[in-house]
Amino acid sequence: MTDSTDRRVTANLSLTLDGRYHGPGGPGDFGMFVPYVTTEVARDHLARIWEGATTAVLGRVNAEGFLGYWPSVAEDETADPRDRGYAKWLAGAEKVVFSTTLAEAPWDRARVVNAPAADVVAELRTTGEGDILVNSSPSIIKPLLAADLIDRLYLLILPEITGGGQRLFDDGLPASTWTLTRQETGELGEIAMVYDRVR
């Protein structure tokens, strides 16, 4: 058995009140999220998620979407400093992109893997330093929750019910206990929460 380091596995995601990470129109249906992701509370939350993280774990769809947006933010001197800080961190961090279709990594300091998420993340924990952040990628977060590999959840809860779309917490997950270590409510009713796994 490989020894584990003290690296934490963290994950961030925005969810509606009914637990959805997108709307009924499919993975690109984020209309209900738009008013909330640029609030003061959301931006402060974004600034917290990457503190202490040295590795970003992404699914292919997010990796390609992020590549189309964040590099320009990193160069934009008029961007909100919290957004720019995250963008610069993302550019410089080690990135692991899960994909069954990509032949090469879409970014510098990135590598593509086609293997079970739990196996790859368990291996990442055995080397290096700093948190491993699973970055808004439910296709990776779900199998890590199922394997009980996530140590911290950064959740932004939005005061919307979509009535359709994919849920993060599927039936059949192993039972677990979490401690609320931070909570902040925004003017629009959004709530940024940080939960740590009790082990």
Side-chain angles (χ1 to χ4, degrees):
M1 182 172 170
T2 310
D3 291 335
S4 180
T5 65
D6 290 333
R7 299 189 81 182
R8 284 186 308 186
V9 179
T10 68
N12 74 294
L13 200 61
S14 296
L15 297 174
T16 60
L17 284 179
D18 53 344
R20 319 281 184 169
Y21 53 83
H22 64 69
D29 185 1
F30 291 111
M32 78 294 297
F33 290 72
V34 173
Y36 306 101
V37 295
T38 56
T39 65
E40 291 299 303
V41 163
R43 282 190 158 125
D44 287 346
H45 192 61
L46 179 69
R48 279 191 294 275
I49 68 170
W50 59 271
E51 289 176 343
T54 56
T55 302
V57 174
L58 299 151
R60 176 190 61 81
V61 172
N62 270 2
E64 292 177 339
F66 284 12
L67 181 59
Y69 179 74
W70 288 110
S72 62
V73 175
E75 301 301 321
D76 183 359
E77 294 183 5
T78 65
D80 185 286
R82 294 161 293 188
D83 293 355
R84 198 166 182 214
Y86 170 76
K88 287 182 173 182
W89 169 81
L90 189 58
E94 171 194 25
K95 290 171 283 293
V96 178
V97 179
F98 282 84
S99 176
T100 59
T101 58
L102 285 178
E104 58 186 47
W107 275 4
D108 292 338
R109 293 189 46 79
R111 63 186 172 99
V112 175
V113 295
N114 179 5
D119 293 349
V120 173
V121 170
E123 180 65 26
L124 284 172
R125 291 182 83 151
T126 66
T127 59
E129 297 178 342
D131 290 349
I132 301 160
L133 171 62
V134 186
N135 214 333
S136 295
S137 296
S139 64
I140 311 304
I141 297 171
K142 285 182 172 194
L144 296 184
L145 283 170
D148 196 17
L149 284 173
I150 294 182
D151 303 301
R152 171 171 282 185
L153 282 170
Y154 294 95
L155 299 177
L156 184 66
I157 306 301
L158 313 178
E160 303 273 345
I161 292 175
T162 64
Q166 293 293 310
R167 286 193 168 105
L168 176 61
F169 301 108
D170 293 327
D171 288 345
L173 288 174
S176 57
T177 302
W178 300 75
T179 297
L180 180 65
T181 57
R182 187 178 183 102
Q183 177 180 327
E184 190 175 357
T185 304
E187 293 182 0
L188 299 178
E190 75 281 14
I191 305 174
M193 297 186 294
V194 182
Y195 280 100
D196 284 340
R197 175 75 170 93
V198 177
R199 298 197 186 276

